[in-house]
């Protein structure tokens, strides 16, 4: 996919962000693994296919395009990381609720 040009900022802000990204990456990786495990369990139980916005996951990944409305490329990288991490946290909460029902 085409990587958008992003606002980089100063070297100092990039160094700080680099430290934060290690933690964020680990959290996102963990949640993605939970989603993967839950999707596999559900597909076995209900025969349901994992979709992203109604699109089968493999096709979504192949046709992925940056969502400029949701993640404006003119915002600082730190803000984009916060937006993405917030979205992933919301998915984690949704997964927890799904597990309780």
């Amino acid at each position: 996919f085409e990587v958008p040009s992003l606002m980089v900022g100063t070297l100092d802000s990039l160094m700080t962000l680099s430290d934060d990204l290690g933690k964020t990456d680990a959290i996102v990786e963990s949640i993605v693994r939970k989603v993967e495990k839950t999707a596999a369990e559900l597909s076995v139980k209900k025969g349901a296919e994992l979709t992203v916005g109604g699109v089968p996951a493999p096709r979504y990944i192949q046709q992925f395009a940056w969502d400029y409305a949701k993640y404006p490329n003119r915002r600082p990288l730190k803000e984009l990381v916060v937006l993405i991490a917030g979205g992933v946290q919301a998915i984690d909460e949704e997964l927890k609720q799904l597990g309780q029902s």
Side-chain angles (χ1 to χ4, degrees):
F1 81 96
E2 184 180 325
V3 177
S5 61
L6 303 168
M7 289 182 59
V8 176
T10 65
L11 181 58
D12 189 44
S13 68
L14 282 177
M15 295 301 288
T16 302
L17 184 60
S18 175
D19 294 340
D20 294 344
L21 279 176
K23 298 171 198 161
T24 303
D25 182 55
I27 292 167
V28 170
E29 176 84 19
S30 168
I31 294 169
V32 167
R33 296 289 173 218
K34 285 183 198 175
V35 169
E36 180 182 39
K37 181 181 175 195
T38 303
E41 290 170 356
L42 288 174
S43 70
V44 168
K45 288 181 185 175
K46 299 181 180 180
E49 181 181 29
L50 177 65
T51 61
V52 181
V55 178
R59 186 164 32 131
Y60 179 86
I61 292 168
Q62 291 169 342
Q63 298 174 345
F64 177 81
W66 187 265
D67 186 346
Y68 288 94
K70 202 170 187 179
Y71 307 105
N73 65 323
R74 292 293 165 219
R75 292 183 109 170
L77 284 177
K78 184 162 182 70
E79 284 184 36
L80 291 175
V81 170
V82 168
L83 285 171
I84 292 168
V88 171
Q89 289 292 345
I91 290 169
D92 190 38
E93 287 302 317
E94 211 174 307
L95 228 103
K96 288 176 184 173
Q97 290 176 1
L98 180 66
Q100 292 174 354
S101 58

